Amino acid sequence: MENYAEFRSQRMAGNISFVDDKWQKSAPSISTLNSELARFKAVFSKLKEIGEWSLPHPLEKIKAFQTC
């Protein structure tokens, strides 16, 4: 969980980008960070569902940011 929190902190600061620098205009929005969290959570949920992940869900306690 600490690893994801650090990852998200770095993403929020604009230090980690998934696109070429010429396309990255600024740090990702809160909505983008929440969408990424939902996708990561879905991956682990699916892995548990199909029996490929037997450990506790590592992102289970991570909450999405509140948006206005």
Side-chain angles (χ1 to χ4, degrees):
M1 186 162 63
E2 296 101 25
N3 289 340
Y4 185 78
E6 177 61 25
F7 165 79
R8 188 162 65 168
S9 175
Q10 292 295 315
R11 281 285 288 146
M12 187 181 251
N15 297 330
I16 298 174
S17 175
F18 295 131
V19 296
D20 189 274
D21 287 342
K22 70 179 181 180
W23 300 108
Q24 187 72 33
K25 304 297 184 210
S26 62
S29 68
I30 297 298
S31 294
T32 297
L33 294 171
N34 286 343
S35 177
E36 290 174 355
L37 175 60
R39 289 180 183 152
F40 284 130
K41 282 183 167 187
V43 167
F44 282 103
S45 294
K46 182 54 81 173
L47 288 172
K48 284 183 75 80
E49 179 184 315
I50 64 174
E52 294 294 324
W53 186 265
S54 58
L55 299 172
H57 194 302
L59 302 176
E60 188 171 55
K61 295 181 181 177
I62 302 282
K63 304 291 184 203
F65 290 116
Q66 294 294 315
T67 60
C68 298

